[in-house]
C-alpha cells in the first residue's frame, strides 16, 4: 500500500494472520527519513506499526545504487518469506521508504541479477520437530493403559486423515474432529460429537491426546475438563489451553508423532 493511514487498514488482516498462522507479507511504502515528523503529507510513524504481533519487521531504508544491491535486496526478500512461512507462520512487515523521483527517469537501472542457475538467493529448510524415542515409548504405554481414550482434533491439527485413522485404529480410540480440523471424514472420526453429548450422558475418557486448538463446542469443552489427563500437541509451542486443562504439552509435529505412535502400538512392543 501507499504511505500514511492506508497502512493502518491492514492491521485487522495482520492480527488474523498472526493468530491463524497464515503466511502474510505486508509491504508498506513510506516517506524517506528526512520527511518524517515534519508535517509532510501522507506521512505517519510506520515503524513497528503492527507492534510485536508480526513475526518480523524490517525498515531497510531507501534503496541506493550500490554494487551489492542484488545480495542485499534478494536476501531481504528471502528472509521475509522465510519468517512469514515460519515456524510459526504469520505476518511479516516490510516498511519501504522511497525518495523522489518515484517514476523512471531514463537512467540505467541497477543490475541486480539472481543466482546464475535460477535457484533462490537463500534457500531455507525449516526444522522438523520430532519426538524422541523415549517420548514415543512413554506415550505409547500411556495410550495402551487407557483403552477409553480419545483423539481430539481442533483447528491447526496438521494431521493427514489417513494418519489419524491409523492411530485411532491402533489405539482403539475414536476421533472427536472439529469442523475446522480437516479430519471429519475418517472412519473413526465423530463430527457429531456435540449432538451425542447433548443426547446422552456419555462416559468420560480416561485420556485425551489433542492435536491443534480446543474444540469449538462449549459442551465438549466442559466434558473434557481438567480432571482428565490431556496431552496437547502443538509444533509451534503455542499455549492453546484456554480451559487450563492440559497436563502435558509437546512442541512436536503431530503428523510424525501419531505415525510413530501407531507403528509402536501396532508392533505390540514396549
Amino acid at each position: 500500500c501507499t504511505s500514511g493511514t492506508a497502512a493502518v487498514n491492514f492491521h485487522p488482516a495482520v492480527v488474523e494472520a498472526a493468530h491463524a498462522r497464515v503466511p502474510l507479507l505486508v509491504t508498506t511504502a513510506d516517506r524517506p527519513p528526512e520527511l518524517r515528523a515534519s508535517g509532510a503529507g501522507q506521512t505517519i510513524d510506520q515503524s513497528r506499526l503492527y507492534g510485536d504481533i508480526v513475526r518480523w519487521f524490517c525498515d531497510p531504508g531507501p534503496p541506493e545504487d550500490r554494487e551489492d544491491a542484488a545480495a542485499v535486496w534478494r536476501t531481504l526478500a528471502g528472509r521475509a518469506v522465510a519468517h512469514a512461512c515460519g515456524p510459526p507462520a504469520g505476518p511479516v512487515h516490510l516498511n519501504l521508504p522511497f525518495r523522489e523521483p518515484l517514476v523512471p527517469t531514463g537512467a540505467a537501472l541497477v543490475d541486480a541479477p539472481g543466482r546464475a542457475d535460477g535457484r533462490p538467493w537463500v534457500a531455507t529448510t525449516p526444522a522438523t520437530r520430532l519426538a524422541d524415542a523415549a517420548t514415543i515409548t512413554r506415550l505409547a504405554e500411556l495410550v495402551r493403559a487407557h483403552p477409553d481414550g480419545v483423539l481430539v482434533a481442533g483447528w491447526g491439527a496438521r494431521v493427514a486423515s489417513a494418519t489419524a485413522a491409523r492411530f485411532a485404529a491402533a489405539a482403539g480410540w475414536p476421533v472427536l474432529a472439529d469442523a475446522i480440523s480437516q479430519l471429519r471424514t475418517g472412519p473413526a472420526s465423530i463430527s457429531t460429537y456435540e449432538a451425542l453429548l447433548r443426547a446422552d450422558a456419555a462416559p468420560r475418557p480416561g485420556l485425551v491426546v489433542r492435536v491443534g486448538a480446543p474444540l469449538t463446542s462449549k459442551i465438549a469443552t466442559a466434558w473434557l475438563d481438567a480432571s482428565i489427563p490431556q496431552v496437547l500437541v502443538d509444533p509451534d509451542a503455542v499455549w492453546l489451553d484456554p480451559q487450563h486443562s492440559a497436563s502435558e504439552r509437546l512442541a512436536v509435529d503431530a503428523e510424525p508423532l501419531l505415525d510413530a505412535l501407531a507403528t509402536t502400538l501396532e508392533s505390540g512392543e514396549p
Side-chain angles (χ1 to χ4, degrees):
C1 69
T2 56
S3 64
T5 54
V8 181
N9 291 299
F10 285 160
H11 207 159
V14 170
V15 174
E16 291 285 355
H19 287 287
R21 298 184 222 173
V22 173
L24 178 67
L25 184 58
V26 176
T27 56
T28 56
D30 200 358
R31 307 305 297 276
E34 62 269 18
L35 291 182
R36 296 174 184 171
S38 65
Q42 217 170 323
T43 305
I44 65 172
D45 183 1
Q46 295 178 198
S47 177
R48 302 192 180 278
L49 181 63
Y50 309 115
D52 60 3
I53 202 165
V54 296
R55 303 293 186 250
W56 188 54
F57 166 78
C58 184
D59 185 334
E64 299 175 347
D65 292 344
R66 44 193 293 180
E67 292 183 0
D68 62 347
V72 171
W73 287 97
R74 289 180 180 275
T75 298
L76 173 66
R79 185 175 180 182
V81 171
H83 280 296
C85 291
V92 163
H93 177 200
L94 296 182
N95 192 57
L96 306 176
F98 293 93
R99 290 192 175 98
E100 299 285 355
L102 299 179
V103 295
T105 62
L109 298 177
V110 175
D111 188 24
R115 302 291 183 190
D117 54 3
R119 291 185 298 110
W121 191 264
V122 181
T124 301
T125 302
T128 301
R129 293 142 295 186
L130 300 176
D132 57 31
T135 299
I136 296 295
T137 299
R138 178 177 59 81
L139 286 178
E141 292 174 350
L142 193 61
V143 171
R144 286 195 184 104
H146 294 86
D148 57 345
V150 296
L151 175 63
V152 172
W155 164 86
R158 303 183 197 175
V159 174
S161 180
T163 303
R166 182 182 170 218
F167 168 79
W173 289 7
V175 180
L176 302 189
D178 198 272
I180 52 178
S181 69
Q182 308 299 318
L183 293 174
R184 300 204 309 166
T185 59
S189 296
I190 302 175
S191 60
T192 57
Y193 55 82
E194 182 167 346
L196 295 174
L197 294 178
R198 287 180 183 273
D200 301 306
R204 283 153 44 87
L207 176 67
V208 172
V209 173
R210 173 158 61 84
V211 290
L215 298 173
T216 53
S217 165
K218 291 183 178 180
I219 293 177
T221 298
W223 184 61
L224 301 172
D225 63 23
S227 66
I228 302 171
Q230 299 187 39
V231 179
L232 167 60
V233 182
D234 187 277
D236 297 329
V238 178
W239 209 286
L240 298 175
D241 188 28
Q243 280 73 40
H244 314 294
S245 56
S247 54
E248 181 176 355
R249 296 170 61 246
L250 294 176
V252 299
D253 289 313
E255 170 79 15
L257 174 68
L258 294 186
D259 186 64
L261 284 174
T263 299
T264 302
L265 293 170
E266 290 167 349
S267 70
E269 299 177 357

